[in-house]
Amino acid sequence: MALVPYDENLVPGLSKLHKSSAEFEFADHRLRLAQDWSGLGVAGVIWDAAVVLCMYLELAPVNLKGRTAIELGAGTGLVGIVATLLGGNVTITDRKPALELLRDNVKENIPSDLQGAVQVSELTWGEGLEHYPSGGYDLILGADIIYLEETFPALLRTLEHLSSMESELLLSCRIRYERDKRFLRLLESLFSVQEVHYNEQRDIHIYRAVRLKGKTEL
Ligand SMILES: C[S@@+](CC[C@H](N)C(=O)[O-])C[C@H]1O[C@@H](n2cnc3c(N)ncnc32)[C@H](O)[C@@H]1O
């Protein structure tokens, strides 16, 4: 449950200019995450999709215990941190500029006995995928990562590379534009996609996807 959920409506205002922090309570832990809009833009703040995905992971029957998970486009790392606290072995990823803040947030919010269950690493969609095990993750997580049409083919390639027939993909997002729906249709070329949750207050959808049998080519 979020103690002080991030309010996206504040972004166009003063909060844009400053570094700040946001507090949450998830998985019986009090979390305090640093944000840095001025330095990192969209990667430096916590989006509603992340908060709603954490609520879903905590309350819904998503089993993380002992499972391998990877978070894509993690930004400040809230989802990956909560997934680790819920028992997952989690790789939290984003582009290089976001990694310093991510590492700081992981260090601050994951107790020392769980630090071995989490790693932060660079992953720009579609690049250097050979560094990540093909089909190597039980759970692939992404909050508010469907928004740049030019990244859609690389994002889909990344999801294909990371997933096996047994993997589960959970994507949370606000549908802002037609192009967001276009990505979901693209996703359906390789995955069976189902909406499993809608948070009306925050207008956030969560989609669960599993690989379609026999579909391996883009
Ligand atoms: C809207 S933010 C969401 C951040 C975080 N998941 C959240 O919900 O709070 C989008 C994230 O996707 C990342 N991103 C955008 N394009 C990317 C790419 N080509 N490869 C990897 N990450 C990317 C950004 O760096 C940013 O962290």
Side-chain angles (χ1 to χ4, degrees), residues 42-43 45-47 50 73-75 94-95 123-125 143-144 147-148 151:
V42 296
V45 291
I46 299 162
W47 296 83
D94 206 311
R95 291 180 294 193
L123 175 48
T124 298
W125 305 326
D144 214 338
Y147 68 111
L148 294 172
T151 67

Side-chain angles (χ1 to χ4, degrees), residues 138-205:
D138 300 317
L139 191 61
I140 301 168
L141 301 165
D144 214 338
I145 59 171
I146 306 169
Y147 68 111
L148 294 172
E149 189 143 32
E150 65 271 21
T151 67
F152 290 173
L155 178 56
L156 190 59
R157 263 201 321 282
T158 305
L159 295 172
E160 183 189 20
H161 176 82
L162 300 172
S163 61
S164 70
M165 297 306 290
E166 283 73 45
S167 305
E168 186 179 1
L169 166 61
L170 287 174
L171 290 178
S172 63
C173 61
R174 178 169 296 150
I175 301 292
R176 301 181 178 95
Y177 305 105
E178 267 309 302
R179 62 173 185 255
D180 306 346
K181 291 186 199 159
R182 281 201 286 281
F183 179 78
L184 293 173
R185 285 199 292 275
L186 204 57
L187 192 64
E188 283 171 347
S189 63
L190 284 180
F191 292 83
S192 165
V193 184
Q194 218 191 343
E195 180 166 351
V196 290
H197 181 71
Y198 175 63
N199 183 308
E200 197 174 350
Q201 192 192 353
R202 293 167 188 258
D203 187 22
I204 297 293
H205 304 260

Side-chain angles (χ1 to χ4, degrees), residues 5-73:
Y6 178 74
D7 182 358
E8 206 175 57
N9 296 323
L10 292 177
V11 168
L14 262 186
S15 64
K16 259 189 178 182
L17 303 174
H18 299 290
K19 294 185 180 187
S20 62
S21 61
E23 291 184 17
F24 302 90
E25 197 173 307
F26 282 114
D28 296 327
H29 287 75
R30 193 169 275 253
L31 307 177
R32 186 179 178 87
L33 273 84
Q35 304 187 101
D36 179 5
W37 174 274
S38 52
L40 293 170
V42 296
V45 291
I46 299 162
W47 296 83
D48 277 355
V51 177
V52 172
L53 186 52
C54 289
M55 290 171 172
Y56 184 80
L57 291 178
E58 186 174 51
L59 299 175
V62 180
N63 181 19
L64 273 147
K65 286 212 168 63
R67 292 176 87 202
T68 53
I70 185 163
E71 185 187 5
L72 305 180

